[in-house]
Structure formats: structure tokens, C-alpha cells
């Protein structure tokens, strides 16, 4: 049997409330980037994605054409 001196955990809603207070207090400490920096970073990310899209599409097209050439030689 458990010792009666052990403290009970607070119910789930009390624990969730405490956790939310901790989260909001941490969010107040965050230094958010400026709007210009966000736009610049977003532009860089979109540019890198487009470059990878072009490269992977070219590789896919090239391998598809190579597969067509190989399969046409077997006929």
C-alpha cells in the first residue's frame, strides 16, 4: 500500500494551465525577426526549392529518356 504522506498529483486541468503559463512566459522571452528578414529568408527558401525542383525534374526526364532508349533497343 502506498504511503499516505505522498502528495497527490493535481488534476489534468491544473497541470495544463501551469504548462500554458510556462509556454506564454517563454514566448515573451523570444526575439522575433523583423519583417524584412522574414521576407528575405522566405525568398531564399523558395529559390532553393525551385532550384532543386528544376534539377530533380531534369534528372527525372533524362533517366526517363534513357529508359525509353534502352527499352527500344531490345525490340
Amino acid at each position: 500500500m502506498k504511503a499516505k504522506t505522498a502528495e497527490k498529483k493535481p488534476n489534468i486541468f491544473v497541470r495544463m494551465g501551469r504548462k500554458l503559463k510556462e509556454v506564454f512566459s517563454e514566448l515573451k522571452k523570444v526575439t522575433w525577426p523583423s519583417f524584412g528578414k522574414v521576407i528575405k529568408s522566405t525568398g531564399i527558401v523558395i529559390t532553393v526549392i525551385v532550384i532543386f525542383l528544376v534539377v530533380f525534374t531534369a534528372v527525372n526526364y533524362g533517366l526517363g529518356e534513357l529508359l525509353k532508349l534502352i527499352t527500344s533497343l531490345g525490340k
Side-chain angles (χ1 to χ4, degrees):
M1 191 169 171
K2 292 183 179 180
K4 290 185 179 183
T5 59
E7 293 184 29
K8 281 180 65 175
K9 282 192 337 187
N11 67 22
I12 185 84
F13 298 110
V14 172
R15 288 185 281 159
M16 284 181 7
R18 287 181 188 162
K19 194 63 169 176
L20 276 175
K21 282 183 182 180
E22 290 176 15
V23 167
F24 283 118
S25 72
E26 287 296 321
L27 281 175
K28 289 178 185 176
K29 298 176 187 176
V30 173
T31 56
W32 299 99
S34 66
F35 184 73
K37 192 168 188 173
V38 171
I39 295 297
K40 183 177 179 182
S41 298
T42 303
I44 291 170
V45 169
I46 291 174
T47 303
V48 169
I49 289 172
V50 168
I51 290 170
F52 275 102
L53 176 69
V54 168
V55 168
F56 285 127
T57 303
V59 168
N60 186 32
Y61 178 76
L63 290 175
E65 291 299 315
L66 181 63
L67 182 63
K68 284 181 190 176
L69 178 66
I70 292 172
T71 55
S72 68
L73 290 177
K75 291 183 179 180

